[in-house]
Amino acid sequence: MGRVADLVELVRAPAGLSVPGDVLAGAAAAGTLGRRTPALAGASVLLYWGGMAANDWADRRLDAVERPERPIPSGRISPSAAFGVAAGLTVAGVALAAAAGGRRAAAVAVPLAATVWGYDLAAKNTAAGPAVMAACRGLDVLLGATAGRLARAVPAALTVAAHTWTVTELSRREVTGADRRLPQATLAGTALVAAAAVGPRAGVVPAALAAGYATRYGGAQARVLADPSPGTVRAAVGAGITGLPALQGALTARAGARLLGLAVAAAAPLGRRLARLVSPT
């Protein structure tokens, strides 16, 4: 059981709850919700977990200084094992996407996997890092739309990508704390994201879900304005990760799948409870 718990921590398994909603929002926007969608969502989760393991492998020396309790620097998982987990999950994710959605799904899954690894190995600590991570999430939304017209899912992909940019920018200050200008910028971005999720004639359900997203994640960022210390920044990053299903639910409901949108958003409170056991950041 200890080994399983270490792997759960390595891939930040509970944070995977924030992933299927990308695919569902994309499929709803493209009008392609169907029997392929669950498998594509599963592929997305595998790619996400692979990226989390690759992230820890790439950061193993830095974590030895800043986060020695993580599975690799603490010696609970070897670097080679972590790399193997990362590679295996990535291959499995691409293979599942191709099996479920054919060439069109593979044509998105392969660039998505490459972008995830590109972020972990090269872009993360550069100025391009937040944009690359945002591209990962945007591609994830498009993965769900591969059975139909991708163009219809582009607005939803851009909305999720913009949210991801705010979370990634904040996450770069989890150890050092933030300048107050950062939460000011991310708060403005969150307001725009919530407005984009609602749209001009979205209806009650998308508006309520977007409002819940903005209130919880925006409130966490407002606390960073008052106290830009590392702990408060980490809490805001956690709120951004666990609050994403509410945004995905709003996008799904806006596309006409209201009950599914509510179901997607229901992952948010579950994710928050699980985050108390395994940190998503």
Side-chain angles (χ1 to χ4, degrees):
M1 289 298 295
R3 179 70 169 178
V4 172
D6 294 338
L7 290 172
V8 166
E9 186 178 352
L10 177 71
V11 302
R12 296 170 177 85
L17 286 172
S18 72
V19 180
D22 287 343
V23 170
L24 294 173
T32 60
L33 284 167
R35 58 183 178 81
R36 297 179 178 181
T37 307
L40 291 175
S44 176
V45 172
L46 292 174
L47 291 172
Y48 182 88
W49 283 343
M52 288 290 116
N55 176 77
D56 269 29
W57 179 81
D59 279 358
R60 61 194 184 279
R61 294 183 180 87
L62 179 63
D63 283 348
V65 176
E66 295 183 348
R67 299 181 182 185
E69 74 282 359
R70 292 294 300 162
I72 298 176
S74 67
R76 288 177 287 139
I77 294 180
S78 69
S80 59
F83 185 86
V85 169
L89 288 170
T90 300
V91 171
V94 171
L96 180 57
R103 293 180 182 176
R104 295 192 68 187
V108 175
V110 171
L112 171 56
T115 305
V116 169
W117 279 77
Y119 173 82
D120 287 335
L121 300 182
K124 178 168 50 181
N125 296 318
T126 71
V132 175
M133 180 56 77
C136 292
R137 282 288 189 169
L139 286 168
D140 205 31
V141 174
L142 294 180
L143 181 62
T146 49
R149 292 176 58 186
L150 287 179
R152 292 181 177 178
V154 168
L158 291 175
T159 302
V160 172
H163 164 79
T164 305
W165 175 85
T166 68
V167 177
T168 308
E169 282 285 5
L170 286 168
S171 72
R172 291 154 71 92
R173 298 293 180 269
E174 285 184 308
V175 175
T176 62
D179 184 291
R180 284 185 171 83
R181 289 173 295 182
L182 176 58
Q184 288 173 350
T186 60
L187 258 174
T190 298
L192 292 173
V193 165
V198 175
R201 296 182 297 276
V204 175
V205 173
L209 293 177
Y213 154 79
T215 298
R216 184 165 188 86
Y217 182 35
Q221 293 171 82
R223 288 188 284 276
V224 178
L225 274 173
D227 174 20
S229 64
T232 312
V233 173
R234 282 195 294 273
V237 173
I241 295 171
T242 60
L244 178 56
L247 174 64
Q248 297 161 334
L251 292 168
T252 303
R254 187 184 72 178
R258 292 178 179 82
L259 290 179
L260 181 58
L262 289 170
V264 170
L270 177 59
R272 287 193 291 271
R273 284 193 288 270
L274 291 175
R276 299 187 188 118
L277 301 176
V278 179
S279 173
T281 70

